[in-house]
Amino acid sequence: MEFDILNISGGQPFKDFNLYLEVYPRFDIRLDSKAVSLGNIAIWLAMAIPINAIQSSDTSGFLAKYFITGSLWLASGSTHFVLLGNNLTGLSIFENHLFEWWVDKGNDWNISELGYMESFGLQANLFLSFVGGGILFEITNRRKNFGFFFQIKMFPIFGERPPKEK
């Protein structure tokens, strides 16, 4: 089960195409051990905080903001294609991905497990929340997992483009 709060949704890399990007900080906990994943939080602290200090008035600042946003999406992001409706209310197919760095507090803060998680599924866009589910796989240097999941994304921050005037 996955529960995310305050994801940034609505980045649209191609005009007039129903493909949307999301970025969100993510903190994962394993219920079968005392391990937590801190890799994504570390990237967010290193990159998301300085983005506000960059002035986008010149070309280098504009490119720097796109580079940082793209890096945040690669670290922990989601892509969804809207089949019916739009990004606010509709039905989408999606993928989530996350680079993980697991810290095991029960083993003297062992930080030697690194990995990647990918999931695919179907999602209902319900304005103040996205509800979905599907299959996921996780591969680290210590384990491999495959299974099914259910997710709820609450209070998305929308970055929609306004509709085109005809």
Side-chain angles (χ1 to χ4, degrees):
M1 172 125 183
E2 177 183 329
F3 187 73
D4 299 315
I5 298 176
L6 298 177
N7 57 316
I8 302 165
S9 177
Q12 205 173 5
F14 309 107
K15 285 185 178 182
D16 302 325
F17 189 63
N18 287 338
L19 184 71
Y20 295 91
L21 305 178
E22 296 176 341
V23 294
Y24 48 93
R26 186 159 162 177
F27 179 74
D28 285 352
I29 301 171
R30 284 199 178 121
L31 298 178
D32 60 346
S33 68
K34 294 181 180 178
V36 296
S37 177
L38 300 178
N40 180 251
I41 299 296
I43 291 171
W44 270 81
L45 291 175
M47 298 189 84
I49 292 173
I51 197 170
N52 293 323
I54 297 172
Q55 299 297 324
S56 62
S57 58
D58 59 354
T59 304
S60 61
F62 180 77
L63 292 174
K65 284 197 175 197
Y66 268 82
F67 174 76
I68 290 173
T69 304
S71 299
L72 292 173
W73 177 80
L74 285 173
S76 175
S78 179
T79 308
H80 62 270
F81 183 78
V82 177
L83 300 170
L84 299 169
N86 57 39
N87 190 36
L88 301 173
T89 57
L91 186 65
S92 303
I93 54 173
F94 72 94
E95 72 79 32
N96 293 330
H97 56 272
L98 169 70
F99 287 100
E100 299 176 317
W101 173 25
W102 289 98
V103 176
D104 189 355
K105 296 185 295 183
N107 193 12
D108 296 327
W109 293 88
N110 184 354
I111 57 172
S112 61
E113 185 176 358
L114 301 171
Y116 177 77
M117 186 276 306
E118 181 71 49
S119 57
F120 301 95
L122 196 59
Q123 164 179 292
N125 308 333
L126 305 173
F127 188 64
L128 292 177
S129 66
F130 296 155
V131 178
I135 60 169
L136 73 89
F137 65 89
E138 174 186 27
I139 299 172
T140 73
N141 58 330
R142 292 192 173 182
R143 67 184 86 207
K144 294 177 186 167
N145 291 325
F146 176 80
F148 298 95
F149 76 99
F150 175 74
Q151 75 175 11
I152 299 172
K153 295 179 183 178
M154 296 295 297
F155 309 117
I157 301 167
F158 292 104
E160 296 291 308
R161 285 194 170 136
K164 266 187 149 175
E165 299 278 335
K166 292 190 178 185

